[in-house]
Amino acid sequence: LLLVTPFVGVLQDQCRNSTTMMRARVAPSVRVGAGGRRTAHASSSQSLDELPGSLRRIVGAFQMVPDPMQRYKQLLYFASKLQPLAEEAHVEENRVKGCVSQVWVLPELREDGKVYFQADSDSQLTKGLAALLVEGLSGSTPQEIMGVTPDFIEMLGLKQSLTPSRNNGFLNMLKMMQKKTLELYAAQAKEDADTQMESDNNPSATPVRDSMHAKLEKELSPLKLSIEDNSDQHAGHAGTKGLRSTETHLAISIVSEKFSGLNQLKRHRLVYGIVDEEIKGGVHALSVTAKTPEEVGM
C-alpha cells in the first residue's frame, strides 16, 4: 500500500487543475451536430493526446505504474474518494445496464457549458471504475465527452486485473455517460433555440442599456453596475431631434478594480471606449461615475 500513496498524490495534483486546461474539440470518430445528432466517421485509434485533460492525466498516471496489483489498489482508492450519490438518484433511469454490480450515473450540464458527473455502485471495485470516469470526464464539454472512444480503457492497463464482465461493465458505464451527455446537450440546444426565438419575438425595450451593460460586464468585471435612463427628462430638446434611439440620456455608475491607478479622465475614456458603438448609435448625453472598490468602501 505504501507504493500506492505517492502515485495517489501525483494523480490528485495532476487532476485537480485539469478543468482549466481542457481543449474544446471533437475526436475525428464522433461529432455532435445541430440538435444533438451524433455522426460517426471512420478513424484510427484514439491517442492519449486526444483525451479530455483529466482523463488524459489519469491514464498517464496509471501507465506509470507497471504492477497490475498496484493499479487494482488504485481503483479501490478512487472508490473511497467518490462523493456519495443522493438516495433519490438511485433510480432505474440512472442505472447502467449490463454491469455485474449495480451502478448509477447522474450528469449535470452547468452554466459553463461543461458536464459534471456523480456516480455510485454497490461494489467497491465497480465504484472505483465509476469514480475513475467521474474524475476523468467531469469538467469536460459535451463534445469532448462524446469524442472519447473505448481505446483509453486499453491504455489504462486494467484488463489483467478485471474479468471480461467487469471490462464490459466499464465500457457500458462510458456509453451510459455519453448517452446522458448527449441527452443533456440536445435538451440544452432546444432550450437555447426556444429562448432565442422568444427573444426575437419579444425585443428588449431597452436595447442600448442592455448592450452597454453586457459590454461593461465583460470588459470591466464590475462589482457594482447600474445604468439609469433620464431620457424622459429631456424629451423634445433640440439635441435629441432626429435620433433613432429613445434612450438618449443615460447615466452609468460603475465600481471596478480595473479603475485602480487611473485618474478620472482615463476612467471615463475607458468606459466611453467600451460603449462607443452605443454612443454613436443615438445617445445624446452620457454621464459616468467610475470608482474603485476602495473608494466606495467595498
Side-chain angles (χ1 to χ4, degrees), residues 102-123:
Q102 296 271 46
V103 186
W104 298 270
V105 172
L106 182 65
E108 177 188 3
L109 180 59
R110 298 183 184 173
E111 291 184 358
D112 61 1
K114 296 177 181 178
V115 181
Y116 298 82
F117 291 96
Q118 291 178 280
D120 196 12
S121 175
D122 58 2
S123 161

Side-chain angles (χ1 to χ4, degrees), residues 41-145:
H41 299 269
S43 66
S44 57
S45 296
Q46 189 172 32
S47 69
L48 182 63
D49 289 340
E50 292 177 312
L51 296 175
S54 280
L55 189 58
R56 182 170 66 248
R57 285 166 179 75
I58 290 174
V59 171
F62 265 85
Q63 290 178 340
M64 292 171 59
V65 180
D67 184 2
M69 182 54 67
Q70 296 302 323
R71 291 176 178 171
Y72 182 87
K73 289 180 179 179
Q74 184 59 29
L75 282 179
L76 298 181
Y77 176 82
F78 267 100
S80 70
K81 296 300 181 181
L82 184 64
Q83 294 297 312
L85 181 66
E87 190 62 35
E88 55 266 27
H90 292 73
V91 294
E92 184 63 22
E93 66 182 84
N94 295 332
R95 187 175 68 84
V96 179
K97 312 298 189 296
C99 285
V100 177
S101 305
Q102 296 271 46
V103 186
W104 298 270
V105 172
L106 182 65
E108 177 188 3
L109 180 59
R110 298 183 184 173
E111 291 184 358
D112 61 1
K114 296 177 181 178
V115 181
Y116 298 82
F117 291 96
Q118 291 178 280
D120 196 12
S121 175
D122 58 2
S123 161
Q124 281 299 102
L125 178 58
T126 308
K127 183 181 288 189
L129 293 170
L132 187 153
L133 288 174
V134 167
E135 182 77 18
L137 297 180
S138 289
S140 301
T141 64
Q143 288 84 354
E144 288 174 318
I145 294 169

Side-chain angles (χ1 to χ4, degrees), residues 188-202:
Q188 185 63 54
K190 183 179 184 305
E191 182 180 335
D192 290 345
D194 291 345
T195 301
Q196 183 61 48
M197 183 178 296
E198 182 178 347
S199 176
D200 292 342
N201 293 334
N202 299 281

Side-chain angles (χ1 to χ4, degrees), residues 36-284:
R37 290 190 297 275
R38 186 178 179 184
T39 306
H41 299 269
S43 66
S44 57
S45 296
Q46 189 172 32
S47 69
L48 182 63
D49 289 340
E50 292 177 312
L51 296 175
S54 280
L55 189 58
R56 182 170 66 248
R57 285 166 179 75
I58 290 174
V59 171
F62 265 85
Q63 290 178 340
M64 292 171 59
V65 180
D67 184 2
M69 182 54 67
Q70 296 302 323
R71 291 176 178 171
Y72 182 87
K73 289 180 179 179
Q74 184 59 29
L75 282 179
L76 298 181
Y77 176 82
F78 267 100
S80 70
K81 296 300 181 181
L82 184 64
Q83 294 297 312
L85 181 66
E87 190 62 35
E88 55 266 27
H90 292 73
V91 294
E92 184 63 22
E93 66 182 84
N94 295 332
R95 187 175 68 84
V96 179
K97 312 298 189 296
C99 285
V100 177
S101 305
Q102 296 271 46
V103 186
W104 298 270
V105 172
L106 182 65
E108 177 188 3
L109 180 59
R110 298 183 184 173
E111 291 184 358
D112 61 1
K114 296 177 181 178
V115 181
Y116 298 82
F117 291 96
Q118 291 178 280
D120 196 12
S121 175
D122 58 2
S123 161
Q124 281 299 102
L125 178 58
T126 308
K127 183 181 288 189
L129 293 170
L132 187 153
L133 288 174
V134 167
E135 182 77 18
L137 297 180
S138 289
S140 301
T141 64
Q143 288 84 354
E144 288 174 318
I145 294 169
M146 297 307 301
V148 174
T149 71
D151 296 312
F152 85 93
I153 299 177
E154 190 79 32
M155 299 179 202
L156 284 167
L158 290 172
K159 282 198 171 184
Q160 292 176 302
S161 304
L162 302 175
T163 63
S165 59
R166 294 284 187 191
N167 275 298
N168 188 57
F170 192 25
L171 177 59
N172 287 336
M173 287 183 221
L174 172 63
K175 289 180 177 179
M176 177 74 160
M177 289 172 135
Q178 290 179 322
K179 176 177 179 291
K180 283 189 165 291
T181 295
L182 189 60
E183 291 171 352
L184 287 176
Y185 179 89
Q188 185 63 54
K190 183 179 184 305
E191 182 180 335
D192 290 345
D194 291 345
T195 301
Q196 183 61 48
M197 183 178 296
E198 182 178 347
S199 176
D200 292 342
N201 293 334
N202 299 281
S204 171
T206 58
V208 176
R209 276 184 289 168
D210 292 345
S211 180
M212 284 184 170
H213 199 286
K215 290 182 178 180
L216 292 170
E217 283 281 359
K218 179 181 178 181
E219 299 297 331
L220 299 179
S221 302
L223 299 179
K224 185 177 179 181
L225 171 61
S226 66
I227 304 177
E228 185 178 353
D229 187 356
N230 301 313
S231 303
D232 58 339
Q233 300 174 19
H234 304 274
H237 286 196
T240 64
K241 292 180 180 180
L243 294 179
R244 291 170 295 170
S245 173
T246 58
E247 300 172 272
T248 58
H249 292 70
L250 304 177
I252 297 175
S253 177
I254 182 169
V255 179
S256 172
E257 292 279 4
K258 300 290 181 69
F259 297 138
S260 296
L262 301 180
N263 59 34
Q264 285 298 323
L265 179 59
K266 290 183 178 179
R267 294 179 189 184
H268 286 203
R269 284 177 176 173
L270 177 59
V271 173
Y272 291 148
I274 293 172
V275 298
D276 181 64
E277 183 180 355
E278 287 72 22
I279 293 174
K280 291 178 179 178
V283 175
H284 179 65

